[in-house]
Amino acid sequence: MRVLVVGGGGREHAIVWKLAQSPKVDKIYCAPGNAGIALDAECVPIKAEDIEGICAFAKENQVDLAVIGPEVPLAMGIVDELEKTGITAFGPNKKCSQLEASKAFTKSFLERHQIPTAGYKEFTDKQELLEAAGLFGYPMVLKADGLAAGKGVVIAENEEDAKKAIEEMMGDRVFGSAGDKVVVEEFLTGVEASMLCFVDEHTIVPMESAQDYKRIYDGDQGPNTGGMGTYSPSLVFDNALEEQIREEILIPTLKGFQSDGLDFKGVLFIGLMISKDGPKVIEFNNRFGDPEAQSVLARLDSDLLDIFLAVTENRLADVEITWSDKKAVCVVLASGGYPGSYEKGKEITGLEKVDSDVVVFHAGTASEHICDEQSCRSAVVTSGGRVLGVTAIGDTHEQAREKAFDNVKRISFDGMQYRNDIGIINSNLL
């Protein structure tokens, strides 16, 4: 089969890497890809948001399956357009993609189908929101309604911080049109966890769990990021909790899709808060989490292509999905200044020193020719905020963690930053 993966981050590298292991895949294209993806696929210079260009390329190159990685083209309706041109696409259609593209849409869905979540209220008027500051008490959770690259959530500790965040979202428009509507939520306490699920119109199948680290600094300090690392499986989950999530969240979600006419086919990412009152849904995303995909797909034994095809053909229930018992840890290496402004074009060294059984998933990288007075050479350079995801497997979480950090220390680029506590299990949280 000929497969096109749309996107160019760490998530897409993990998908390409896993698809490349399938004996049924003859050719993988990736649009636009990155320096690491180019080792496993032919990268084509088409942006993920260029839906017309991607459809034309897929048709011209007789692509059998298109796999959509990022949320923006999904929200733009890329799956609908590919299917109009006769291309099978893995990912939810535009209607279903509102579950990530609009926080208010998801909160309404959760409330309507009595799925546990935080209390909320939505606002479109800045003055009204300023006057309502603290309506659920503090800390106050403010979410830009639309897509904001994983950064549209602010947790304000007091009234001053809340009003500053409101001014930035709705006055300064730091998240653009995503902040035209703001959802205010009740602050939940507990342990955050992620659950990724394969979904077709009849079936929802959870993948192995993963634990994500959102804040930029050790000890969950500093601003939120798109994710600074993960480990899998999450030690927050046990059989009793997984059964509770299945009964209270997964089954009602699938029934809600069916009753609302949401023919969801793809990956549903469920962000959870494991609170003293039980699990509650923080958010839905319409695709593999990043960097959750890196640690989860590293443990997948089944052929990923078989799963993708089963989902697109509504026969997910017929596929047996198997996982390795080994543990995975992924450590993200980020550019200096991230999640704020950062410089690009920093040469990355040491990639060739990484152990053969450790995978370095590229997120924000590019290939560049660097010349001096004597010669020119090809180099891998930084091109994004999150640059690499160093992913290791071990028999225990600690083995995987030690192997990951041992290899992290072999890689270097100017300004490189990472968390030192990825994979450390805080027993007080369990």
Side-chain angles (χ1 to χ4, degrees), residues 324-329 392-397 399-401 403:
S324 168
D325 290 331
K326 291 186 179 291
K327 320 304 180 188
V329 171
I393 294 287
D395 291 329
T396 66
H397 286 92
Q399 279 184 12
R401 174 184 149 73
K403 188 183 290 188

Side-chain angles (χ1 to χ4, degrees), residues 226-242:
M228 291 300 292
T230 56
Y231 73 86
S232 176
S234 168
L235 293 185
V236 171
F237 289 85
D238 57 23
N239 291 338
L241 178 59
E242 287 181 356

Side-chain angles (χ1 to χ4, degrees), residues 34-36 348 362 364-368 379-383:
N34 62 40
I348 303 168
H362 289 230
T365 68
S367 295
E368 210 172 81
V380 178
V381 300
T382 65
S383 66

Side-chain angles (χ1 to χ4, degrees), residues 204-281:
I204 184 165
V205 179
M207 302 181 211
E208 284 287 283
S209 60
Q211 195 73 31
D212 185 21
Y213 295 73
K214 284 291 187 196
R215 305 275 186 143
I216 184 68
Y217 302 127
D218 289 4
D220 284 331
Q221 300 298 308
N224 271 336
T225 71
M228 291 300 292
T230 56
Y231 73 86
S232 176
S234 168
L235 293 185
V236 171
F237 289 85
D238 57 23
N239 291 338
L241 178 59
E242 287 181 356
E243 178 61 21
Q244 186 179 8
I245 291 169
R246 192 182 80 84
E247 291 294 326
E248 297 180 8
I249 295 172
L250 301 189
I251 292 173
T253 294
L254 184 62
K255 288 180 177 177
F257 288 168
Q258 293 166 342
S259 67
D260 287 4
L262 296 171
D263 50 343
F264 193 105
K265 291 191 284 187
V267 170
L268 180 69
F269 171 111
I270 305 175
L272 296 165
M273 180 67 77
I274 312 303
S275 72
K276 63 179 182 355
D277 300 321
K280 296 188 178 185
V281 176

Side-chain angles (χ1 to χ4, degrees), residues 101-141:
S102 169
K103 307 291 190 302
F105 182 89
T106 292
K107 295 299 287 190
S108 175
F109 173 88
L110 294 168
E111 188 177 75
R112 184 164 58 254
H113 297 290
Q114 299 178 314
I115 298 167
T117 189
Y120 82 104
K121 188 172 181 180
E122 53 191 79
F123 295 84
T124 54
D125 181 85
K126 184 184 77 171
Q127 192 57 40
E128 186 183 342
L129 178 51
L130 284 168
E131 291 170 3
L135 78 160
F136 292 117
Y138 292 99
M140 182 178 179
V141 181

Side-chain angles (χ1 to χ4, degrees), residues 123-124 143-146 169-170 173 175-182:
F123 295 84
T124 54
K143 294 183 176 182
D145 179 60
M169 279 188 183
M170 302 192 86
R173 296 172 61 83
F175 301 121
S177 61
D180 289 349
K181 180 186 290 183
V182 172

